[in-house]
Amino acid sequence: PPEIQEIRLFGSLARDERDPYADADLLVVVDATDLAPRDRSPRYRPSGLPVPADLTVCTRAELERELEAGNRFLTRILQESIPLYSRS
């Protein structure tokens, strides 16, 4: 979808940890959305992946707000993640 700004791979696959049961942890940053956070994953879940995917979907404003508030989970994601797509 055109509203996607960025997709980043994080977690065990990004850290190159071998696990036959690993899923792809993806951070999807979007321009804006009127969907509740729990309803966003189905909208942005990619098809055709060779492994299951676990999505964290947020807007750029939500991401920046959480980082400023010291959200350790999102800070770690950005530190360890691999950019897969960037619209810029």
Side-chain angles (χ1 to χ4, degrees):
E3 66 271 20
I4 293 178
Q5 291 184 1
E6 185 176 2
I7 301 173
R8 301 180 75 88
L9 175 69
F10 67 97
S12 60
L13 289 178
R15 293 187 302 268
D16 201 24
E17 295 174 358
R18 302 290 178 209
D19 179 353
Y21 304 105
D23 61 357
D25 296 304
L26 300 173
L27 172 65
V28 179
V29 181
V30 298
D31 291 325
T33 180
D34 57 352
L35 296 173
R38 69 179 181 280
D39 298 328
R40 296 175 185 176
S41 288
R43 167 83 169 96
Y44 297 102
R45 184 170 310 285
S47 60
L49 292 178
V51 296
D54 186 17
L55 273 62
T56 299
V57 181
C58 62
T59 66
R60 175 68 60 196
E62 290 168 342
L63 178 62
E64 290 174 3
R65 184 176 61 242
E66 289 298 315
L67 291 172
E68 288 176 16
N71 183 312
R72 289 188 208 163
F73 175 67
L74 289 173
T75 299
R76 183 172 178 192
I77 286 176
L78 292 181
Q79 289 171 344
E80 75 174 16
S81 63
I82 299 168
L84 300 179
Y85 169 80
S86 178
R87 185 175 65 201
S88 56

